[in-house]
Amino acid sequence: MKFLLDTADVEDIKRICAMVPVDGVTTNPGIVAASGKSVFDLLPAIRDAMGGKGMLLAQVISPTVEGMIKDAHTLTSRVENLIVKVPVTPNGLVAIKELTKEGIPTLGTSIYGAAQGFMAALAGAKYLSPYVSRIDAQGGNGPETVKELQSLISQHKPDVEIVNASFKSPRQALECMMIGSAGITLPPSIFDLFIADPAVLAAVTEFGNQWFKAFNRHTLD
C-alpha cells in the first residue's frame, strides 16, 4: 500500500519521513492557498523534503476544459514528474481523457460515488481519490463507497490505483486501509493520532521509572 501525506507543510513532511517511508505528497488548491506560498516554490520544496523522490501531486484550478488542460501543461512544464489532479466533473473527464492522450498522468479527485470514480478510470485517470469523510458528511458511507469503487476497478480497470483521501478520524482511515486499495493519503494530524494513544506513553514512562529506580539511570550502561 502506498502511503502519502496530504499537506503543504514542509516541516511536517520532514518529521514524518524520518519515522516511516512516505511514498508521496498530495496538495490541493486549499492547502496551497493556506500556505501563502507560490505553488511553483512550494512543490520543489516538498520534493526536497521527501529526499528528492516520491509521488508529487498538484491540482488544476480552472473549471473549463481548456483551462484545466492549460493548467496541467503549466504545472508539468515547471515541475518534473508531477501527477496532475483533475476534479471528476463533466469538463474534468474531457480534460483527463485529453491529458491521458498526451501522456500526462492524472488523478481523478473530488470523487463522491463509485460510478463517478469509475468514469474517471475509463477516461484514463491513473489514480482515483474518493473523499471519504465528505461522503460521510453528506449522509453516505465513505468506506462502503470505497469498497464499491475498488470492486469495479479490480474487475474492469486493474491498472488504476485508488488513493483514498479526506479523513477526519484514524478509524475512518483504518477502515479504508483494510479494504485493500492501492494507497491512502493522510493529513499529518490524522497520522499523529495513529500513534498518540495516551496508554503508550503511560506504559513507556512506567517501564522507564522502574528501570531508573533499580539502576539510577535512563540508559543501558
Side-chain angles (χ1 to χ4, degrees):
M1 185 194 76
K2 291 184 173 71
F3 169 56
L4 294 86
L5 293 173
D6 194 26
T7 184
D9 190 314
V10 170
E11 294 307 312
D12 268 341
I13 295 167
K14 291 178 180 178
R15 175 176 64 85
I16 295 172
C17 282
M19 288 187 272
V20 297
V22 174
D23 295 294
V25 172
T26 64
T27 63
N28 62 45
I31 286 174
V32 174
S35 76
K37 300 177 182 177
S38 164
V39 68
F40 300 110
D41 293 331
L42 193 58
L43 292 175
I46 290 173
R47 177 160 281 151
D48 287 345
M50 290 191 290
K53 56 185 179 181
M55 300 167 63
L56 185 59
L57 300 92
Q59 187 166 328
V60 299
I61 302 297
S62 176
T64 68
V65 173
E66 296 78 8
M68 289 179 183
I69 293 173
K70 181 180 179 182
D71 285 351
H73 289 166
T74 300
L75 286 166
T76 55
S77 68
R78 297 182 63 174
V79 183
E80 293 184 356
N81 300 319
L82 187 73
I83 298 166
V84 178
K85 296 173 65 177
V86 180
V88 184
T89 61
N91 285 345
L93 288 172
V94 177
I96 288 170
K97 187 175 180 180
E98 180 58 35
L99 293 170
T100 300
K101 290 179 183 177
E102 297 178 13
I104 295 175
T106 59
L107 176 145
T109 189
S110 300
I111 294 173
Y112 286 76
Q116 177 201 10
F118 188 59
M119 292 303 107
L122 292 179
K126 173 62 177 173
Y127 305 96
L128 306 173
S129 279
Y131 278 4
V132 180
S133 70
R134 296 193 181 201
I135 294 170
D136 283 352
Q138 288 193 334
N141 185 319
E144 186 61 31
T145 298
V146 171
K147 286 182 183 178
E148 293 173 351
L149 180 55
Q150 185 63 63
S151 177
L152 287 168
I153 294 303
S154 296
Q155 292 179 68
H156 306 293
K157 296 288 286 185
D159 56 325
V160 174
E161 299 185 11
I162 298 174
V163 182
N164 298 301
S166 177
F167 295 104
K168 296 300 183 184
S169 73
R171 182 65 204 178
Q172 209 177 42
L174 186 62
E175 287 180 11
C176 289
M177 291 165 71
M178 292 189 293
I179 289 169
S181 298
I184 193 167
T185 179
L186 296 179
S189 60
I190 299 298
F191 170 83
D192 289 340
L193 289 175
F194 272 117
I195 53 175
D197 192 323
V200 176
L201 180 59
V204 172
T205 301
E206 178 187 356
F207 293 144
N209 289 340
Q210 291 171 347
W211 180 273
F212 186 82
K213 185 177 180 179
F215 303 107
N216 198 34
R217 63 177 183 269
H218 288 296
T219 59
L220 288 175
D221 54 21

